[in-house]
Amino acid sequence: MGEGSGEGNSDYTGLVVDLRRQMWTAGVEEELRRLIWQLAVTGKYISAKIHESNRKLAGFKNLYGEEQLSLDRSADEIIKNQLQFSGFVREYASEEQDAVVLLGKGREKYFVTADPLDGSSLVDTNLAIGTIIGIHKKSIFARGRDSMVAALYITYGPLITMVYSAGHGTHEFVLNREGEYVLSEENLMMDQRGSIYSPGGLRKDYTENHLKYLEYLEAEGHKLRYSGGFVPDINQILIKRGGVFTYPALKKSPHGKLRLLFELQPMAFIIEQAGGVATDGKEAILSLQVENLDQRCPIYIGSRFEVDKAKEFLAAES
Ligand code: AFP
């Protein structure tokens, strides 16, 4: 793979295309290609940890006071160690770290955010869980639109799949038996409207307008698909080309549950590149200024029809 990058003309007839070839063809610049590849590779080590997991609590609490499963900490260590000597990562912020970690000498090109193992409370149920990564070209305390250059997520399910975008479309890879990520879907494009909805939170805690919105989707015939894992729930909407995931503002927690920096920004970047939209109910997720690591906000993400409809219901006088 040469220094430069391809012209984005992806004619792969008859070829098995791996992650590095696809990124080169898509025109991703060299250091970013290496960083995305290094992060994707951590999926193999994290998956191995999941398979050998002893499911014991680590006895630690993270910044948010949540019990940390040993797996969360292991996944975080794997990612941090992989980036430590990459040579182009300046800072690392993770849901499992209390503060931003300085990895470089202060001149490196990229800032990386991670939710190392999202949905870890589902490990004992054998449901799919995932890793969420954001890649920024400047300080993460900014609007995603201004700082983000790429994002990826890895889904640990019956197959290990990796979806990434570096601003040239959204693409899916499957980890094959040889341990290579092979292109399965290139330039994923969501439909304007879907047929599934993934509603987080408890009905008793919903605001009146949010409840009316969900009742509208049900009346439209949308099918409920919710696993409790943000990564597989979003992945389903992307791969099925439509629908909406929401974790809304709740009566007692107006900012919802999910974290802007570690969970929502990367998924918003990926879904927007696939022709979808992501909002907090008013503003685009990528237009929101990140003030702190623990910042949470409501989320409506997926096809344009369903997300625009959410904004309509939420704006109505209740
Ligand atoms: P855990 O990482 O604690 O399992 O939480 C998962 C999560 O952050 C996200 O992956 C889900 O979308 C959301 O929480 C599920 O929340 P509920 O359990 O309230 O439905």
Side-chain angles (χ1 to χ4, degrees):
M1 186 163 52
E3 284 301 303
S5 57
E7 300 307 317
N9 50 346
S10 52
D11 173 12
Y12 305 126
T13 32
L15 276 175
V16 173
V17 180
D18 73 355
L19 173 58
R20 285 184 283 194
R21 175 192 283 270
Q22 190 278 337
M23 289 194 289
W24 184 84
T25 309
V28 181
E29 67 95 10
E30 195 202 353
E31 282 193 333
L32 188 52
R33 295 202 302 268
R34 288 201 201 162
L35 178 54
I36 290 170
W37 188 79
Q38 282 189 354
L39 286 159
V41 162
T42 63
K44 294 194 252 185
Y45 312 136
I46 292 171
S47 165
K49 278 287 174 197
I50 293 170
H51 286 272
E52 68 187 43
S53 76
N54 58 16
R55 297 179 188 165
K56 285 199 182 65
L57 287 182
F60 295 88
K61 282 186 183 299
N62 66 9
L63 176 66
Y64 315 105
E66 293 158 348
E67 281 298 339
Q68 272 180 280
L69 295 175
S70 51
L71 271 178
D72 282 300
R73 291 176 68 79
S74 311
D76 184 51
E77 280 306 303
I78 288 168
I79 295 170
K80 192 161 71 73
N81 295 340
Q82 179 82 340
L83 297 179
Q84 189 88 43
F85 307 103
S86 70
F88 29 82
V89 175
R90 189 181 311 184
E91 295 178 0
Y92 171 66
S94 151
E95 261 197 23
E96 306 308 327
Q97 300 282 341
D98 295 346
V100 177
V101 178
L102 193 60
L103 286 189
K105 297 189 176 60
R107 290 183 306 280
E108 292 76 7
K109 213 169 180 181
Y110 297 111
F111 302 69
V112 174
T113 68
D115 181 354
L117 206 56
D118 185 85
S120 52
S121 65
L122 299 173
V123 166
D124 57 350
T125 67
N126 197 29
L127 278 173
I129 56 181
T131 294
I132 309 172
I133 300 283
I135 302 176
H136 301 245
K137 66 183 179 208
K138 56 186 234 186
S139 166
I140 56 180
F141 298 104
R143 294 165 2 120
R145 191 86 64 207
D146 302 330
S147 64
M148 293 195 80
V149 289
L152 68 91
Y153 66 83
I154 299 165
T155 308
Y156 308 101
L159 295 173
I160 293 175
T161 57
M162 190 278 293
V163 170
Y164 94 94
S165 177
H168 306 270
T170 290
H171 319 288
E172 182 202 43
F173 297 77
V174 181
L175 193 65
N176 70 12
R177 265 194 292 271
E178 289 70 42
E180 265 192 27
Y181 281 105
V182 174
L183 182 64
S184 44
E185 302 225 44
E186 191 174 38
N187 295 315
L188 282 153
M189 202 40 72
M190 292 177 66
D191 298 335
Q192 281 300 306
R193 172 178 179 150
S195 59
I196 56 180
Y197 73 110
S198 200
L202 294 175
R203 230 169 171 80
K204 69 178 181 58
D205 298 335
Y206 288 158
T207 63
E208 198 182 320
N209 283 356
H210 180 74
L211 193 51
K212 282 182 186 156
Y213 168 61
L214 295 187
E215 286 164 355
Y216 167 81
L217 293 179
E218 287 157 1
E220 287 289 302
H222 279 60
K223 282 183 251 162
L224 193 155
R225 293 285 185 272
Y226 188 78
S227 77
F230 186 46
V231 169
D233 287 343
I234 291 285
N235 189 58
Q236 177 172 202
I237 285 167
L238 177 64
I239 301 302
K240 294 295 183 192
R241 303 302 196 276
V244 61
F245 173 96
T246 171
Y247 208 107
L250 301 170
K251 285 178 197 155
K252 294 196 199 73
S253 31
H255 300 295
K257 172 180 184 182
L258 301 185
R259 296 179 181 96
L260 175 58
L261 186 61
F262 300 118
E263 294 164 305
L264 304 186
Q265 274 190 341
M267 291 309 197
F269 188 94
I270 287 168
I271 290 291
E272 281 197 1
Q273 283 288 316
V277 280
T279 167
D280 66 354
K282 289 198 193 79
E283 297 284 320
I285 290 295
L286 293 181
S287 301
L288 300 176
Q289 172 69 28
V290 173
E291 304 293 351
N292 59 68
L293 295 178
D294 185 26
Q295 192 169 341
R296 300 164 194 246
C297 74
I299 177 81
Y300 294 82
I301 180 170
S303 301
R304 183 167 294 283
F305 170 81
E306 285 89 340
V307 175
D308 286 351
K309 197 50 89 172
K311 289 165 83 170
E312 239 178 79
F313 274 88
L314 295 172
E317 284 303 311
S318 52

